[in-house]
Amino acid sequence: MAQPSSTHERFNTAIAATALLVSGASAFFTWTSNQAKRDALSTVVRPVDCRTEYHGGTESGDIGLCWGVTLANDSENRLSIVDARVLDIQSGRTVLIGGFQNFEAGGGVPLGLPIILDGGEAKEIFVRGAVMVPPAVARVISQMPEYQNHTLDKIPLASVQRALAMANLDFLGNRVEPTIINGKYSGFSISPPVKGVVDVLTLTTGRGATFSVRMTYPPEFDRQPARGRH
């Protein structure tokens, strides 16, 4: 009589273990599925030329630097970005500089919110972050003919950088040397010590997740997951 009871107990134990295994596997796949449905965003940042925006005068001012930011939705669900802000971190201070057209879809067209990304979709947006310029830079900009005739916003930012480089400066007042090839300007070289600035793009999704993206000048070429908080 003991043998059937032992067999029955082993059978029940096997059933219980199998149920526990199935339950654990189900919970794992449910967790995996839920993780895949959470907002997940990665970015690629690159410096780009853009229309000049300068707000200031002959001794001080703010100028907008531009980056192309590719946003990639790493989740399987649609993601909506409902709020976006750009902060400038310069000389140990974090400030929000207003009055600039911060987001464009390309060709200078303003980009509105929300930004919608389907699962797995990537989209590039153009972000303008304003930085404060030192007096030496402001003086060079104010001497440009385009500044004098109020058409500075009609020329590309690269033209302003060229004028600064010919005065041995960049946007932050770093000392540079222009590169001249066959009598034509082709860029500039910069030597340390180098002052830099970080603009931080902060994105908030419709589900309440926030992500931050670093945009640096002088530029850093990097691919990075957007740092986020859910």
Side-chain angles (χ1 to χ4, degrees), residues 42-179:
S42 61
T43 63
V44 177
V45 179
R46 64 184 182 91
V48 296
D49 194 16
C50 61
R51 174 183 56 82
T52 298
E53 271 198 55
Y54 176 71
H55 301 170
T58 60
E59 292 296 325
S60 65
D62 304 315
I63 196 164
L65 307 181
C66 295
W67 294 268
V69 180
T70 299
L71 307 173
N73 181 2
D74 294 334
S75 72
E76 65 180 22
N77 276 12
R78 176 174 288 189
L79 179 151
S80 59
I81 296 171
V82 298
D83 186 56
R85 302 183 185 189
V86 181
L87 299 175
D88 172 41
I89 303 175
Q90 189 174 355
S91 302
R93 295 186 297 168
T94 301
V95 295
L96 175 63
I97 300 176
F100 285 78
Q101 183 172 298
N102 293 117
F103 305 102
E104 296 178 358
V109 178
L111 178 66
L113 297 173
I115 300 170
I116 306 297
L117 295 172
D118 288 328
E121 182 183 4
K123 179 181 298 184
E124 184 176 52
I125 65 173
F126 298 94
V127 181
R128 180 180 284 101
V131 299
M132 295 175 286
V133 302
V137 171
R139 285 193 288 269
V140 172
I141 293 175
S142 65
Q143 291 169 7
M144 296 180 64
E146 292 84 1
Y147 179 89
Q148 301 292 335
N149 59 25
H150 307 289
T151 59
L152 198 61
D153 61 345
K154 306 299 182 185
I155 65 173
L157 192 61
S159 296
V160 179
Q161 177 59 90
R162 175 180 178 175
L164 290 171
M166 298 306 292
N168 301 111
L169 296 168
D170 71 353
F171 293 114
L172 299 183
N174 291 309
R175 295 291 298 178
V176 306
E177 289 294 332
T179 301

Side-chain angles (χ1 to χ4, degrees), residues 6 31-32 38 52 57 68 90 99 108 141 143 167 185 194 206 223 229:
S6 177
W31 178 85
T32 302
R38 294 180 66 186
T52 298
Q90 189 174 355
I141 293 175
Q143 291 169 7
Y185 169 83
V194 178
R223 178 183 178 88
R229 175 172 58 82

Side-chain angles (χ1 to χ4, degrees), residues 20-38:
L20 184 61
L21 180 63
V22 171
S23 174
S26 176
F28 171 76
F29 287 120
T30 298
W31 178 85
T32 302
S33 177
N34 288 339
Q35 287 296 105
K37 292 178 181 178
R38 294 180 66 186

